[in-house]
Amino acid sequence: MAARFRIFRFDPVLDPKPYYRTYEVDAEPTDRLLDCLNRIRWEQDPTLSFRMSCGHGVCGSDGMRINGICGLPCQKLVKSYDEEILLEPLPVFQVIKDLIVDLEPFFERYRSVKPYLITASLPPDGERRQSPEEIHRLEDAVRCILCACCTSSCPVNQNAETEAYLGPAALVRAFRYLFDSRDAGMEERIRILDRKEGVWGCQTLWKCTEVCPKEIPVTKQIGQIKKNIYDAKKAGG
Amino acid sequence: MLIDHDIVIIGAGLAGLRAAVEAAESADVAVVTKVMPTRSHSGAAQGGITAALGNEEEDRWEWHLFDTVKGGDYLGDQDAIEIMVRDAPRAIYELEHMGVPFSRTDDGRIAQRNFGGHTREYGKAPVKRACHAADHTGRVVLDTLYDQALRHQVRFYSENQAISLAFDEGRCTGVVIYDLASGSLRFLRAKTVLLAAGGCGKIYKTTSNGFATTGEVLNLAYQSGIPLEDMEFMQFHPTGLFPLGILVSEAARGEGGILRNGLGEPFMERYAPRIKDLAARDVVSRAILTEIREGRGVGGKEYVYLDVTHLGEKKIAEKLWEITSFARIYLGIDAVKEPIPVAPTCHYLMGGIPTDGDGRVLADETGRIVPGLYAAGECACVSVHGANRLGCNSLLDLLVFGRRSGKAMKDGVANVELQMSSDDPVRAAQEKLGALMDREGKEKAHAIRRQMQAAMMEHASVFRTEEGLQKGMERIIALKERLQRVSVTNKGRTFNYDLMETIELGHQLDLCEVILESALHRKESRGAHSREDFPMRDDENYLKHTLTFPGSRGTEVRYKPVAVSRFQPQARAY
């Protein structure tokens, strides 16, 4: 079958402004959109740039907007689309070239939540004990692959006035450590999260949850952080 | 442009990051990665990490040692394997202390599962040895180590491709890197360089490996005069999702999954009566392909079924979330109710750059050390995996030898000064890239790459023959000639993947030649190297490591002995 693509193009060195170009590729219905992108680049237009690495939704490299919705083209099959497929870079972040955006601000926010285990005591000789229920609480959050689809889809991050919001991905990583029974960094992290640019920036709009390629209940997890902070404050008077 | 660091590490997978975290305690460490950090292919590892913790049942490092030796068909160096398996429990606890979210037993210990070839009492029955975080172990360890690297102020050169290694009087003095975003070259001058950039599975048509797994660092070392060891041993993982080749973890069988042929028979009991579906990977891959060849593939096609339907929805959701999501997304299959179509897929290079137990690169069969150069992980060959790696021993290898390399480098740089190179390595690289960009020709890299992948698949995958390997070599040599007429169409400077992939293709074709030459010289069957014209293992003539050197008239093959300490070679049956 023939698949038609309309792709956002921009080379800051050559192009005064972005434009769209249309391509047609011969594809199997079960081909990934990423396979089509590669075929376009290899056989039709070697100037097209996009990121990729694992090709099966584990590395998080190829986040982009597919018909307006942020997702991974390595997880989408041609047969799911009837008409022309529109591919654009992730919103929120600055375009470097074509479908590639500058993710440095994304990782900067990620780093700001102290994404590592903070402990109060020296580790034992063996493992720290953790019950299956305690680890089960983290299982959704640790599936995060940092593809940035959630943060790019968040209307709060998209709004220029509130773009300083940490965004869902950083909050999911904060959740992963806050609710880890081995972690003792609650107070330090709450100082970072208990701000209007922190967890209170979330307006519960569910866009992050809708697009997450790893099916993480992002909005619910942010809600649990909110509740945790609320409870901690109430308990502390 | 010149930038100085104590230590430069190429590769941000588990070996590179583990080394970086270790060395950054007292040295200035930079990590170069051609993708972004956390995108490295270590993240695609699913099943777990082996260690004789004995959390679920009795286990001993001696059993782990034996299994690894036997799994590698007696080609692994037993002194190196002993280092690895004895250090395994410490390596796991260390990860746990860093925060890796391991699955747990009811009493709160790290959970362990069965994995192929891992047994109790020297082969008697399967043992639960694989520590895991559901079926995304590699990904969560990668995330944890990246977080630790950030905490230790490691400097990352993200989306930078290694172009050449610089040497001065035999000492490695740094690496020239190409920045994809700006198209500019820089020389990272270093007291020590660690090569930790993974394998080269992308030279095969069907592979579980990511697009970045093109092996250029192996060839950069080789073209610098450093030998490559045991390159004929390329592992095909038995269960790649058909037809894409995406990894379906052995964890599926570790948790109780069963392989079935087109007749519905659980055929592994014919090939490995004692441990059946939990036999070593080379054995299972050959079994699957034998079933297919003899017409017992599903519907006469080139795949068999991996059946987990009897495990129940709860266990599948908890322990096999990722692989069932792959089946659903790519094939529309609900693994809770239907079997998953699978076939062998190119997965892991057992061979690589020869090193000692601390990651120091070895220049020849006498064990002479290359000053300033280390290697760890899949691109290195210590050799702990011998002729066939056991599942979950790879992450262990990365962690143990990544750390040991980091430690040795950290201790070593204290007494070393940065060297001035006699020539300008950036200018040499600039001229090479410039010539490539200016070259005119009608050939296209993608067409040559596709034919390379087809040729390697056809002639140098699971089953091999003299005739096939010769044919493969002819095809690769012809493709190398055509490569000289490849032009780069994209003349841009920003994220020019056309240029990058053309460079990679040159490295890939060189590696194909080394693999084929090594395979032609080994006239026996051992582990993953199965010669149909020499079906038996031949310890008298081939209990030795292959070393290939870049000679003036092509690949030169030499050998070095295998370190055999505790276990003399025996017949290998599962």
Side-chain angles (χ1 to χ4, degrees), chain A residues 72-83:
Chain A
L72 308 178
C74 66
Q75 277 191 340
K76 307 283 180 193
L77 305 187
V78 171
K79 65 179 176 188
S80 315
Y81 300 86
D82 295 332
E83 292 170 4

Side-chain angles (χ1 to χ4, degrees), chain A residues 5-24:
Chain A
F5 290 86
R6 191 157 177 266
I7 302 179
F8 177 98
R9 301 298 311 270
F10 179 61
D11 183 335
V13 181
L14 302 173
D15 306 320
K17 59 177 190 193
Y19 63 100
Y20 288 82
R21 209 181 139 182
T22 305
Y23 303 89
E24 200 169 288

Side-chain angles (χ1 to χ4, degrees), chain B residues 255-270:
Chain B
E255 296 289 352
I258 295 169
L259 289 164
R260 295 182 189 279
N261 63 18
L263 306 170
E265 297 167 337
F267 58 86
M268 276 313 297
E269 54 193 40
R270 288 204 299 276

Side-chain angles (χ1 to χ4, degrees), chain B residues 216-286:
Chain B
E216 57 274 13
V217 161
L218 286 155
N219 197 45
L220 287 178
Y222 184 68
Q223 297 302 339
S224 305
I226 290 159
L228 295 178
E229 181 174 343
D230 293 341
M231 292 293 283
E232 63 272 41
F233 297 103
M234 180 64 86
Q235 178 168 84
F236 276 70
H237 192 291
T239 57
L241 190 70
F242 184 84
L244 293 166
I246 293 170
L247 177 64
V248 179
S249 174
E250 206 170 307
R253 282 172 287 137
E255 296 289 352
I258 295 169
L259 289 164
R260 295 182 189 279
N261 63 18
L263 306 170
E265 297 167 337
F267 58 86
M268 276 313 297
E269 54 193 40
R270 288 204 299 276
Y271 300 87
R274 212 169 326 152
I275 59 174
K276 305 181 181 73
D277 293 89
L278 291 171
R281 287 177 178 170
D282 59 324
V283 175
V284 182
S285 282
R286 282 194 294 275

Side-chain angles (χ1 to χ4, degrees), chain A residues 41-42 46 49 51 53 58-59 74 97 110 115 124 126-130 145-146 176 182 214-215, chain B residues 39 55 96-97 99-100 104 107-110 139 147 159 211 322 328 330 446 449 494-495 501:
Chain A
R41 188 163 60 82
W42 292 333
S49 301
R51 289 188 175 113
S53 185
V58 171
C59 75
C74 66
K97 182 173 186 289
Y110 168 83
E127 68 261 67
R128 290 189 180 88
R129 299 292 179 102
Q130 204 168 25
I145 56 173
L146 302 173
R176 177 254 171 278
R182 301 167 293 180
K214 304 306 281 188
E215 299 171 44
Chain B
R39 314 305 193 205
N55 279 0
E96 198 282 330
H97 298 159
V100 168
R104 299 286 173 156
D107 65 348
R109 295 168 187 271
I110 293 168
R139 178 71 215 199
D147 294 346
E159 300 186 301
F211 289 98
E322 294 280 344
R328 189 182 68 242
Y330 299 108
H446 69 88
R449 183 176 51 239
T494 317
F495 283 102
E501 288 182 349

Side-chain angles (χ1 to χ4, degrees), chain B residues 378-428:
Chain B
E378 191 174 341
C379 72
C381 182
V382 186
S383 114
V384 286
H385 308 303
N388 170 68
R389 175 172 71 74
L390 290 187
C392 294
N393 268 356
S394 60
L395 297 197
L396 181 61
D397 168 14
L398 308 180
L399 296 164
V400 168
F401 293 102
R403 171 175 168 273
R404 292 175 71 92
S405 304
K407 214 167 155 50
M409 291 191 298
K410 176 175 72 177
D411 296 342
V413 293
N415 311 315
V416 176
E417 294 296 314
L418 284 162
Q419 309 271 316
M420 276 311 292
S421 281
S422 41
D423 50 357
D424 180 356
V426 171
R427 188 188 300 163

Side-chain angles (χ1 to χ4, degrees), chain B residues 78-316:
Chain B
Q78 295 182 21
D79 49 355
I81 300 172
E82 185 163 335
I83 290 174
M84 180 175 83
V85 299
R86 294 185 80 154
D87 196 30
R90 190 207 51 75
I92 296 291
Y93 293 139
E94 179 179 81
L95 287 183
E96 198 282 330
H97 298 159
M98 287 179 185
V100 168
F102 283 110
S103 299
R104 299 286 173 156
T105 62
D106 286 339
D107 65 348
R109 295 168 187 271
I110 293 168
Q112 298 186 278
R113 62 160 64 111
N114 289 320
F115 237 78
H118 291 283
T119 68
R120 55 178 291 119
E121 294 172 77
Y122 310 103
K124 270 196 185 151
V127 73
K128 291 181 176 173
R129 187 177 287 151
C131 310
H132 57 275
D135 60 344
H136 55 198
T137 314
R139 178 71 215 199
V140 297
V141 176
L142 185 69
D143 283 336
T144 305
L145 284 176
Y146 175 60
D147 294 346
Q148 291 293 320
L150 292 176
R151 202 177 186 178
H152 284 85
Q153 316 286 325
V154 170
R155 166 79 201 265
F156 282 90
Y157 292 88
S158 191
E159 300 186 301
N160 271 269
Q161 172 93 323
I163 295 292
S164 63
L165 297 172
F167 289 87
D168 199 53
E169 291 177 358
R171 182 181 184 86
C172 184
T173 55
V175 52
V176 177
I177 59 171
Y178 172 79
D179 179 24
L180 272 157
S182 67
S184 59
L185 290 164
R186 287 179 286 189
F187 180 46
L188 300 185
R189 193 167 63 153
K191 295 175 183 173
T192 295
V193 172
L194 171 68
L195 309 176
C200 59
K202 269 287 168 190
I203 60 177
Y204 287 84
K205 181 172 167 231
T206 304
T207 176
S208 64
N209 286 193
F211 289 98
T213 318
T214 47
E216 57 274 13
V217 161
L218 286 155
N219 197 45
L220 287 178
Y222 184 68
Q223 297 302 339
S224 305
I226 290 159
L228 295 178
E229 181 174 343
D230 293 341
M231 292 293 283
E232 63 272 41
F233 297 103
M234 180 64 86
Q235 178 168 84
F236 276 70
H237 192 291
T239 57
L241 190 70
F242 184 84
L244 293 166
I246 293 170
L247 177 64
V248 179
S249 174
E250 206 170 307
R253 282 172 287 137
E255 296 289 352
I258 295 169
L259 289 164
R260 295 182 189 279
N261 63 18
L263 306 170
E265 297 167 337
F267 58 86
M268 276 313 297
E269 54 193 40
R270 288 204 299 276
Y271 300 87
R274 212 169 326 152
I275 59 174
K276 305 181 181 73
D277 293 89
L278 291 171
R281 287 177 178 170
D282 59 324
V283 175
V284 182
S285 282
R286 282 194 294 275
I288 292 174
L289 290 176
T290 303
E291 291 295 305
I292 291 169
R293 278 181 170 191
E294 292 176 359
R296 294 188 295 277
V298 175
K301 298 211 176 94
E302 298 197 328
Y303 63 87
V304 296
Y305 277 141
L306 172 60
D307 184 3
V308 295
T309 54
H310 53 290
L311 300 183
E313 195 163 358
K314 184 169 179 284
K315 188 170 191 178
I316 290 173

